[in-house]
Amino acid sequence: MSLWEKDINDIHFNSLNKNIETDILIIGGGITGLTTLYYLKDYQSICLVEKNTIGCGVTKNTTGKITYLQGAIHVDLMNNINYEVASLYLKSQITAISLIKKIIKKEKISCNLEQVSSFLHAEKKKDFSKLEAEKNFLLDNYIPVQEHNHAISVVDTYVFNPEKYLNGLKNILQNKTIYEHTNITNITFKNGKYYCNANSSLIIAKKVIIACHYPFFLFPFCLPLKSHIEKSYLIAYKTTTNEHNSGITISNPGYSYRYYQDGKAIYKICLASSHRSTLKQNDKDNFLNVQKKFHIPSDKIVAKWSNVDIITEDKLPFIDEIKNNMYIATGFNTWGMTNGILAAKILSDKILNKENEFAPLFKIQRKNFYKVKSFFSNTFFSIYGFINSHCFKKWYPNTLHFIKNNGQKIAIYVDQNNKRHSVYPICPHLKCGLIFNEEEKTWDCPCHSSRFDLDGNCIKGPSTKNISCKK
Ligand SMILES: Cc1cc2nc3c(=O)[nH]c(=O)nc-3n(C[C@H](O)[C@H](O)[C@H](O)COP(=O)(O)OP(=O)(O)OC[C@H]3O[C@@H](n4cnc5c(N)ncnc54)[C@H](O)[C@@H]3O)c2cc1C
């Protein structure tokens, strides 16, 4: 459980059990999907579907920083693309911060929004010049920057509780058409309309917005070749002082932290051990690394969780129309609080035929994106992840056994109450072998981040199917 999960409110929506027709269908009820619905709330015929419950996806596992100091991203954009793109990205993130503040203020959403200083740290000598370059870039763009020992900081950034923000939106959007427990498994295009299979019903839509984090379909778009998945580990522990700041390091793997105050209780949330999801799969060690890095006393830990996000090769999200009236918002590079809001604004502006100055920055056919090196590295790591997940021996607890039935591998986990949980440990998405996550008691796909609970229910896509086995 992440620190935010306990705050998900009681407003819930029915699942879809009939065929419907709508002008706009939004798929996914995370920060991106729900904020898009908010911007389009005056539209007459609009519907949002969520495969589980609103806010239960990646958004519930975030650190909840709202900042433009995102590592040395502007230096990377300057080096890899150009100065103008870096400047426009900075402007887009500052705009996203003001958009989210505006929504929170206008709708009086109580979500522990707090203005804090954001720090960027350079731990290694090789990062000092990058820190200097990021500082100079920010100064050049009229951002006041403070200098510290091997760190810089800015003041106009925020932290919040992402689930309380989504609760606020749920309150406002209660009378819109929202379906929970409604899983879109297939989309086909016929006579200018999209036919979307959901549970055993059909949704016919003129426009579809894919806001489901990792798209469940391969074509069009083929995300696996344009991105990779990064996994990180977080621990929240009780502390006595709120230092009113948040921070991140330049290097990768690095670390990140923030404070969270809820009434009198103060927590520090610490993140470390980030890695490509196809590598370093021993979650126990990864959590221990976080604990060691931040000297966290075991008895103060209140929550421990992992999270994944989609990393694009040029560090810019994809927010665009993929084909006729089908739109996508994904690849937020671990900065989805700002980019999710921005995506909601850009896509709703597109639908309302309004200009948005940031739309060209996130186009899927942008120049500079396709680099031979990154294409091959993604292909290599996808294949490596696939082979590794099937062939190399892994460590498993002795409460887990494998058997074969009619040539099919079945994994059986015996829990503390001696209850047996059987699953087929292969991801239905693209057939990667699943890894047993002993710490969180889930089956995780190292290739594209699908997750399943002990009984094989899919708790995170792109898989649209369960892996349950009634044995
Ligand atoms: C460790 C970590 C820390 C982070 N910290 C920060 C931070 O401090 N600040 C920041 O800006 N960003 C942060 N991020 C990034 C941010 O959390 C994500 O980019 C963002 O939450 C993504 O939001 P989303 O709405 O796109 O996806 P989600 O929240 O995952 O929402 C997508 C929804 O779609 C649903 N869905 C999926 N498939 C289907 C389907 N077939 N049918 C119907 N529904 C479907 C899912 O159930 C889910 O609820 C962090 C990321 C990581 C990994």
Side-chain angles (χ1 to χ4, degrees):
M1 286 261 285
S2 82
L3 190 62
W4 319 120
E5 258 175 281
K6 64 175 175 33
D7 293 317
I8 298 180
N9 71 7
D10 292 337
I11 300 176
H12 286 296
F13 303 89
N14 292 334
S15 69
L16 180 69
N17 56 12
K18 59 179 182 201
N19 295 346
I20 57 165
E21 200 155 348
T22 178
D23 280 354
I24 303 174
L25 170 66
I26 301 171
I27 304 175
I31 191 163
T32 312
L34 210 60
T35 311
T36 308
L37 181 63
Y38 171 78
Y39 280 129
L40 292 172
K41 63 181 184 312
D42 295 331
Y43 215 90
Q44 283 302 306
S45 172
I46 185 162
C47 156
L48 182 147
V49 292
E50 162 55 50
K51 106 190 212 175
N52 296 317
T53 52
I54 301 287
C56 71
V58 176
T59 302
K60 79 168 182 330
N61 294 330
T62 165
T63 334
K65 294 183 198 168
I66 307 173
T67 179
Y68 55 84
L69 200 57
Q70 305 172 353
I73 187 162
H74 304 105
V75 177
D76 289 339
L77 291 174
M78 260 194 303
N79 292 343
N80 296 337
I81 310 176
N82 59 42
Y83 184 90
E84 287 67 36
V85 164
S87 274
L88 193 58
Y89 183 75
L90 172 65
K91 192 174 173 199
S92 75
Q93 301 305 293
I94 293 172
T95 303
I97 295 174
S98 54
L99 288 173
I100 195 164
K101 274 170 59 187
K102 205 167 159 188
I103 297 176
I104 291 170
K105 189 169 173 206
K106 179 167 180 234
E107 306 300 345
K108 300 188 179 63
I109 299 176
S110 158
C111 56
N112 305 64
L113 182 75
E114 189 193 349
Q115 182 170 357
V116 296
S117 301
S118 282
F119 280 74
L120 179 62
H121 302 268
E123 282 194 301
K124 298 176 188 152
K125 222 174 174 178
K126 71 175 176 56
D127 294 329
F128 294 168
S129 58
K130 218 171 175 185
L131 183 72
E132 184 71 12
E134 185 71 20
K135 181 193 83 184
N136 291 336
F137 172 85
L138 293 171
L139 289 172
D140 213 33
N141 282 272
Y142 310 104
I143 305 283
V145 180
Q146 262 105 58
E147 279 190 76
H148 311 266
N149 192 17
H150 303 320
I152 56 171
S153 68
V154 295
V155 288
D156 48 349
T157 57
Y158 295 80
V159 289
F160 76 149
N161 175 330
E163 287 302 334
K164 289 192 184 176
Y165 166 75
L166 293 185
N167 288 342
L169 289 191
K170 278 202 278 180
N171 277 329
I172 299 156
L173 301 170
Q174 266 187 85
N175 54 9
K176 300 303 302 175
T177 312
I178 298 180
Y179 295 102
E180 289 186 325
H181 302 290
T182 301
N183 185 13
I184 301 289
T185 49
N186 191 35
I187 302 185
T188 45
F189 187 64
K190 255 191 289 173
N191 304 329
K193 288 184 181 171
Y194 287 98
Y195 289 73
C196 312
N197 296 89
N199 304 347
S200 46
S201 309
L202 191 65
I203 306 176
I204 303 172
K206 289 184 191 149
K207 295 174 197 275
V208 176
I209 298 172
I210 313 288
C212 60
H213 192 244
Y214 205 106
F216 51 92
F217 48 83
L218 197 55
F219 299 109
F221 196 50
C222 201
L223 188 60
L225 292 182
K226 295 176 175 150
S227 63
H228 69 268
I229 299 283
E230 195 168 285
K231 184 167 181 181
S232 308
Y233 302 80
L234 303 100
I235 295 181
Y237 72 98
K238 272 208 156 161
T239 178
T240 46
T241 45
N242 184 347
E243 294 183 13
H244 304 286
N245 60 37
S246 72
I248 190 165
T249 47
I250 287 185
S251 52
N252 196 2
Y255 64 80
S256 153
Y257 59 87
R258 66 159 282 193
Y259 292 83
Y260 172 61
Q261 183 152 6
D262 197 20
K264 284 194 177 144
I266 302 170
Y267 307 91
K268 185 170 182 183
I269 304 169
C270 307
L271 175 157
S273 290
S274 305
H275 60 84
R276 253 183 200 262
S277 64
T278 44
L279 307 169
K280 288 199 209 156
Q281 284 152 3
N282 188 338
D283 283 12
K284 199 172 188 164
D285 284 354
N286 291 321
F287 278 116
L288 273 176
N289 282 342
V290 185
Q291 202 176 340
K292 264 196 228 152
K293 171 84 208 164
F294 289 92
H295 311 287
I296 303 174
S298 297
D299 61 336
K300 296 273 185 276
I301 295 178
V302 288
K304 248 179 169 187
W305 68 100
S306 65
N307 199 15
V308 290
D309 209 11
I310 301 163
I311 310 298
T312 62
E313 294 315 312
D314 61 0
K315 306 265 174 75
L316 293 173
F318 295 113
I319 306 168
D320 199 5
E321 186 171 359
I322 342 178
K323 62 177 200 180
N324 296 343
N325 292 322
M326 183 190 265
Y327 304 85
I328 197 159
T330 189
F332 294 153
N333 296 291
T334 76
W335 297 106
M337 300 301 102
T338 44
N339 283 313
I341 300 291
L342 201 62
K345 185 76 178 102
I346 291 174
L347 295 185
S348 56
D349 280 351
K350 259 187 204 285
I351 284 177
L352 299 170
N353 288 323
K354 288 190 200 162
E355 284 285 309
N356 187 305
E357 64 174 309
F358 304 116
L361 191 60
F362 304 114
K363 284 191 93 57
I364 55 176
Q365 297 296 358
R366 58 193 174 241
K367 273 201 259 166
N368 300 307
F369 179 73
Y370 294 96
K371 293 225 171 86
V372 176
K373 194 174 138 218
S374 51
F375 174 81
F376 280 110
S377 88
N378 276 337
T379 311
F380 170 80
F381 278 109
S382 295
I383 295 169
Y384 172 83
F386 183 82
I387 296 174
N388 184 17
S389 69
H390 282 282
C391 302
F392 301 137
K393 208 168 161 43
K394 292 168 198 69
W395 175 87
Y396 284 118
N398 53 17
T399 40
L400 187 69
H401 308 280
F402 292 94
I403 58 164
K404 277 214 160 166
N405 186 21
N406 290 333
Q408 254 190 314
K409 196 172 173 186
I410 295 173
I412 303 168
Y413 177 77
V414 184
D415 70 17
Q416 292 149 322
N417 304 323
N418 244 354
K419 190 174 169 218
R420 289 154 64 94
H421 305 264
S422 308
V423 302
Y424 295 111
I426 302 288
C427 184
H429 175 229
L430 291 178
K431 308 290 173 222
C432 274
L434 297 171
I435 309 289
F436 184 66
N437 178 341
E438 163 75 347
E439 287 293 291
E440 296 173 274
K441 303 281 184 288
T442 52
W443 286 95
D444 298 353
C445 174
C447 302
H448 310 110
S449 76
S450 294
R451 292 183 89 177
F452 305 84
D453 70 14
L454 278 183
D455 292 313
N457 301 305
C458 180
I459 48 177
K460 177 177 181 324
S463 173
T464 52
K465 296 188 183 131
N466 297 332
I467 52 162
S468 321
C469 163
K470 304 267 177 300
K471 285 275 154 200

